[in-house]
Amino acid sequence: MFEFGPILRTLWRSKTGALLIIVQAALTLGIISNAAFVVHERKTYIEQPTGLDEQNIFVLSVAALSDAEYNYQDVVRDLQQIRQLPGVVDATFSMSSPLSNSGSSSDLSSEEDPEHPVSAMTDIVSSDSHALNALGLKLLAGRFFNDAEIVTGSPLGNNGTVMAGIVITRSLADKLYGKGVDPLGKLLQDAPVIGVVESAMVSYVAPDYVAGVAFLPRFISTYPPEYIIRCEPGALSQLMVKVPELLQRLDPNRMIRNVKPLTEVKDGTYRRAKSTVKMLVATMVLVASVTGLGIVGLTLLWGNRRRRQIGIRRALGASRSDIIRYFLTENLLITAVGGMVGIVLSIAVNQLMVQQYQMKALPISYILVTAVAVLILGLAAAMIPAWRSSLVSPALATRSV
């Protein structure tokens, strides 16, 4: 049924063309399988839920014109005035903008077993008692700190200040104390854990950078404060105008800047990852198109060169479907060899990327799915040239016999 012998002998006489398709198929498999894996990783990173009420929050920063330090009482006054505006759900301060991939982080360790401490890189968020509601997070256990517990000072550990309590996310509690373990009352950074909130990302969104978030009742006077304002649905645009005007009236001797919806901050943080996804998708389409067009062109060339051979076969009783099957089988053999070479190439390229860029190892499923896709691409590209070759008339092709 399948004429492997004649096909192999024919390909041996046309080695250059066959090698070109093998190389194209191998490169296509190697590039697309690795690119598809990177695209999946980036899209997972971009689409991960933050836990914040992103659509109804905007942020702004306050910068003094002259003083090097910031007065906590000025911040308390500002936030009280903002909370009284119609449409404001709540407002709080932080030392960095949420979802900006910047801020304060520290490697915190549980103090349960001093001989075998468990550490986790933690997003440190300094704020007041309104942080939970202003960010749209839910308290799972214990309590959030109150304004009487706010301390002012320098960054963590620089002035020996002991916190009244620390509130951590469930993800950080799982990392430090074990999955599902109640962390309330346990010491962390010399302060007891007084509350647990749902898992969320606040300052950092970089994958594998922080294991969770720790909220501290603290104001750092040496950092310009960021205000976080959560609005009622539909009120964000108006309040992005009213709040800066209010703050300017309260104290004209300062700058109100970087007034942005949280969605814009998030888009800016993910801009490079989104660009990478677009570039890789375009690359995959381009590589697949070039390979497909290469197979189309070469199969057409082979069909034209073999018109006499095809005509003789038709005259001897071969049907059009026999001719089509011949060309498709020939193409399937070539792309299958290219696929096997491509599998080796894919693994080699991925190992290089793992070593050079600390990427994850490419799952074998990506290679196998891409190999099947390359085979389908090869068959689809050869279909029309094979059909055209099957139209050769026996009388026309054997006219010179």
Side-chain angles (χ1 to χ4, degrees):
M1 181 178 179
F2 295 103
E3 301 157 307
F4 291 113
I7 290 175
L8 292 176
R9 286 193 292 274
T10 303
L11 289 177
W12 183 253
R13 290 193 294 270
S14 307
K15 296 186 287 294
T16 304
L19 284 174
L20 283 175
I21 295 182
I22 289 173
V23 171
Q24 277 190 313
L27 289 175
T28 301
L29 197 153
I31 293 172
I32 291 184
S33 59
N34 281 280
F37 179 57
V38 174
V39 167
H40 174 72
E41 291 285 300
R42 291 292 185 274
K43 286 183 70 67
T44 302
Y45 162 54
I46 293 169
E47 295 170 358
Q48 60 188 333
T50 63
L52 309 186
D53 184 13
E54 300 171 16
Q55 299 299 323
N56 297 307
I57 293 176
F58 74 95
V59 298
L60 58 86
S61 59
V62 177
L65 294 177
S66 56
D67 295 339
E69 293 198 354
Y70 297 85
N71 189 338
Y72 176 60
Q73 294 307 316
D74 290 342
V75 174
V76 172
R77 176 204 61 200
D78 291 343
L79 294 175
Q80 287 177 343
Q81 293 292 318
I82 293 173
R83 292 175 194 131
Q84 293 176 9
L85 289 174
V88 172
V89 175
D90 213 336
T92 189
F93 72 85
S94 180
M95 297 297 105
S96 62
S97 176
L99 309 184
S100 62
N101 234 12
S102 63
S104 175
S105 63
S106 182
D107 196 15
L108 299 188
S109 300
S110 67
E111 301 174 18
E112 293 292 289
D113 185 356
E115 295 184 357
H116 303 90
V118 178
S119 300
M121 186 57 70
T122 305
D123 178 8
I124 305 294
V125 177
S126 300
S127 192
D128 62 8
S129 62
H130 295 263
L132 201 63
N133 193 36
L135 292 169
L137 298 175
K138 295 179 182 177
L139 185 68
L140 300 179
R143 68 176 180 86
F144 208 69
F145 42 76
N146 57 57
D147 287 340
E149 295 170 327
I150 303 291
V151 297
T152 60
S154 303
L156 193 64
N158 284 5
N159 61 353
T161 303
V162 177
M163 305 288 171
I166 293 180
V167 177
I168 62 177
T169 55
R170 185 64 252 178
S171 57
L172 182 59
D174 290 343
K175 179 70 176 180
L176 292 175
Y177 304 108
K179 192 169 181 62
V181 173
D182 183 4
L184 295 180
K186 298 182 184 297
L187 290 179
L188 185 63
Q189 204 70 24
D190 295 328
V193 176
I194 60 173
V196 181
V197 301
E198 60 183 337
S199 298
M201 293 181 290
V202 178
S203 301
Y204 293 95
V205 297
D208 304 326
Y209 186 76
V210 292
V213 184
F215 294 91
L216 307 186
R218 181 183 58 168
F219 177 80
I220 302 176
S221 58
T222 53
Y223 291 175
E226 296 273 342
Y227 290 174
I228 304 167
I229 299 99
R230 184 183 177 195
C231 315
E232 295 176 354
L236 187 137
S237 298
Q238 291 183 344
L239 288 170
M240 286 182 63
V241 177
K242 290 181 179 179
V243 171
E245 291 176 349
L246 170 67
L247 295 176
Q248 209 63 64
R249 286 198 302 273
L250 291 172
D251 184 0
N253 297 316
R254 58 184 177 177
M255 292 186 293
I256 310 301
R257 58 187 183 181
N258 298 327
V259 185
K260 297 179 181 178
L262 191 56
T263 51
E264 184 179 331
V265 177
K266 184 180 179 182
D267 286 342
T269 302
Y270 288 127
R271 184 171 296 125
R272 180 174 294 181
K274 290 180 177 178
S275 298
T276 301
V277 169
K278 291 178 182 177
M279 183 188 67
L280 289 177
V281 170
T283 300
M284 288 190 290
V285 172
L286 179 63
V287 169
S289 300
V290 169
T291 300
L293 291 174
I295 293 174
V296 168
L298 208 53
T299 309
L300 281 174
L301 178 64
W302 284 345
N304 290 331
R305 284 181 177 177
R306 299 173 190 169
R307 287 173 63 84
R308 185 166 177 270
Q309 176 190 348
I310 295 169
I312 293 173
R313 290 198 60 194
R314 292 294 310 277
L316 293 175
S319 64
R320 290 178 57 189
S321 61
D322 291 334
I323 303 301
I324 294 174
R325 186 174 64 244
Y326 178 90
F327 278 97
L328 294 184
T329 304
E330 182 182 69
N331 191 271
L332 185 64
L333 284 174
I334 297 172
T335 51
V337 173
M340 287 187 284
V341 176
I343 289 174
V344 177
L345 180 65
S346 298
I347 296 173
V349 170
N350 180 251
Q351 287 301 311
L352 180 65
M353 295 173 75
V354 169
Q355 294 174 3
Q356 297 295 325
Y357 303 105
Q358 299 181 340
M359 290 182 57
K360 295 180 181 177
L362 179 65
I364 191 67
S365 58
Y366 279 83
I367 299 176
L368 296 179
V369 170
T370 308
V372 172
V374 169
L375 290 178
I376 295 174
L377 172 66
L379 288 175
M383 184 64 73
I384 292 180
W387 175 76
R388 287 191 55 183
S389 298
S390 71
L391 297 177
V392 173
S393 165
L396 178 64
T398 59
R399 186 171 297 167
S400 61
V401 174

